[in-house]
Amino acid sequence: HGMHAGYYLFFAGLFAMVLVERLVRAAAAAARLPDRSTWPAAPRLACGVLQQWWTMATLTFFGAAFNRRGWSETLQVWVAVEN
């Protein structure tokens, strides 16, 4: 089985995803946005759906690296997403 480049790309991508989420939360706190629990139902639901979409989209994108395992195979999939 062994370790493949795709595994490293996957876990590095997850690290980047979590880092971006933390930066967004810190920026929202610095902007003094009201806590989401105090928002009306519709915007709170829309924000929750957007967060779920972001998580699933990035996990799927980086998951391709885990599934393909090889460096060149992963880059082929990632380039295909751009086009």
Side-chain angles (χ1 to χ4, degrees):
H1 184 66
M3 291 300 292
H4 299 277
Y7 297 160
Y8 293 106
L9 292 170
F10 172 74
F11 289 113
L14 289 184
F15 173 76
M17 180 180 83
V18 170
L19 181 63
V20 167
E21 290 174 355
R22 287 184 180 184
L23 289 172
V24 168
R25 284 194 181 112
R32 296 189 175 156
L33 296 177
D35 186 68
R36 199 171 76 196
S37 63
T38 63
W39 293 4
R44 191 171 58 237
L45 176 65
C47 187
V49 168
L50 183 62
Q51 284 180 324
Q52 288 295 321
W53 178 86
W54 162 258
T55 300
M56 295 310 299
T58 54
L59 188 59
T60 300
F61 182 78
F62 292 121
F66 195 89
N67 289 332
R68 292 295 181 160
R69 294 188 297 201
W71 179 262
S72 60
E73 294 88 357
T74 298
L75 293 181
Q76 286 174 344
V77 171
W78 287 355
V79 168
V81 170
E82 183 181 322
N83 297 328

